[in-house]
Amino acid sequence: MAFLPNDAEKALLDCGRCCCICHKFCSFKIELHHIIQRSEGGEDSYENCIPLCLDCHAEVKAYDPKHPKGRKYTESELMEHRNRWYEKVKNVGVLLVHPECIELDRNSFLKLKEILPVTGGSIAFIRNHIYNCPWLKEAHDDLNNYMLYCQNPDFEFIDIDLEIYRCKLTECIEKFIDALLAVSFTTDRWTGEQLEIAVYPEIKYSKPDIYHKAVNDIHQTANKVCSAYDNLIRLGRRKLAVE
Ligand SMILES: [Zn+2]
């Protein structure tokens, strides 16, 4: 006897055609293993089935109790592997667990960190800068580069949670740039070779209310950029296991 077609299909759907032990995406190179062997009274049931890749299946079956090497997979351990994996596929979704998709998302994540580095770039700058002091024109270049790069249709996460966080970041950066464009004013003051920018230098003292509101808007939108960025970096690290 073998597993009934309905049970086999349900098991293959629940594991996303990935091995329940090593989590490799297997496509059709997947086998259904009896957790409790049929010779030990195990049934051809969904409950007694664990989908495994060919390698893991061979290893699980290869253990010879007469010549024990390494540690055998126990039945309860196999069951636990299977249950945890089904749960993960159910919660996280099949796409993310495919190694090819993780690899694509890793590349997007690394690209994002290249354009918007954690240290030394625009994000670090807006995290610390006090906008009633002038700043160099180039300080926000990374943000503009990011917005330009977003026009590239390849630049998106396949994992839906990461993509939602990335869209949130994009939206926050747009608002920050808008807040800057609405009020910033080139002082045309050159310090050495570099051009400085400041918020409404002409009204800093004559219209302090408008000035303070403008600076405040910039700080608020900057804080939102930083927290959207931090959330995305944290989620990326957790989901993609990449530095
Ligand atoms: Zn495997």
Side-chain angles (χ1 to χ4, degrees), residues 19 22 53 56:
C19 172
C22 71
C53 73
C56 289

Side-chain angles (χ1 to χ4, degrees), residues 18-24 26 51-57 73:
C18 296
C19 172
C20 291
I21 291 179
C22 71
H23 305 165
K24 180 168 76 183
C26 303
L52 297 174
C53 73
L54 307 189
D55 292 337
C56 289
H57 197 193
Y73 284 100

Side-chain angles (χ1 to χ4, degrees), residues 45-223:
S45 63
Y46 172 81
E47 235 338 275
N48 193 38
C49 170
I50 178 171
L52 297 174
C53 73
L54 307 189
D55 292 337
C56 289
H57 197 193
E59 279 182 14
V60 167
K61 293 213 306 193
Y63 187 86
D64 182 352
K66 293 187 192 110
H67 301 283
K69 256 190 157 222
R71 290 187 69 97
K72 178 185 192 296
Y73 284 100
T74 64
E75 287 157 2
S76 56
E77 186 188 354
L78 286 174
M79 215 167 276
E80 192 58 28
H81 271 299
R82 193 253 337 250
N83 294 347
R84 287 184 192 185
W85 184 246
Y86 284 3
E87 193 62 21
K88 188 161 183 187
V89 172
K90 196 169 111 195
N91 293 332
V92 180
V94 171
L95 274 178
L96 181 70
V97 299
H98 287 194
E100 298 87 342
C101 298
I102 295 183
E103 209 42 49
L104 285 173
D105 276 1
R106 275 198 187 122
N107 291 341
S108 298
F109 189 68
L110 291 173
K111 188 71 201 172
L112 177 111
K113 285 181 64 176
E114 185 192 315
I115 302 172
L116 291 177
V118 176
T119 54
S122 294
I123 295 288
F125 178 81
I126 67 173
R127 208 188 286 285
N128 297 312
H129 188 67
I130 297 166
Y131 279 89
N132 46 21
C133 303
W135 63 92
L136 293 175
K137 197 172 179 294
E138 293 80 7
H140 303 120
D141 279 359
D142 296 349
L143 302 178
N144 294 319
N145 290 340
Y146 170 83
M147 293 307 294
L148 275 176
Y149 200 78
C150 284
Q151 293 172 9
N152 180 348
D154 284 355
F155 188 48
E156 62 172 25
F157 290 108
I158 295 163
D159 178 72
I160 192 68
D161 298 326
L162 284 168
E163 184 56 15
I164 287 169
Y165 276 42
R166 194 187 67 83
C167 291
K168 180 77 195 158
L169 173 65
T170 310
E171 185 191 317
C172 290
I173 290 177
E174 256 170 348
K175 286 186 178 157
F176 173 73
I177 291 173
D178 284 350
L180 278 181
L181 288 177
V183 300
S184 67
F185 181 81
T186 308
T187 62
D188 285 335
R189 196 179 71 161
W190 289 76
T191 55
E193 290 296 295
Q194 291 163 308
L195 188 61
E196 278 191 336
I197 305 249
V199 174
Y200 284 156
E202 77 283 16
I203 60 159
K204 186 167 181 177
Y205 301 107
S206 59
K207 294 179 182 165
D209 290 355
I210 296 175
Y211 175 79
H212 287 303
K213 184 179 177 311
V215 171
N216 200 31
D217 283 350
I218 293 172
H219 277 150
Q220 280 190 359
T221 52
N223 288 342

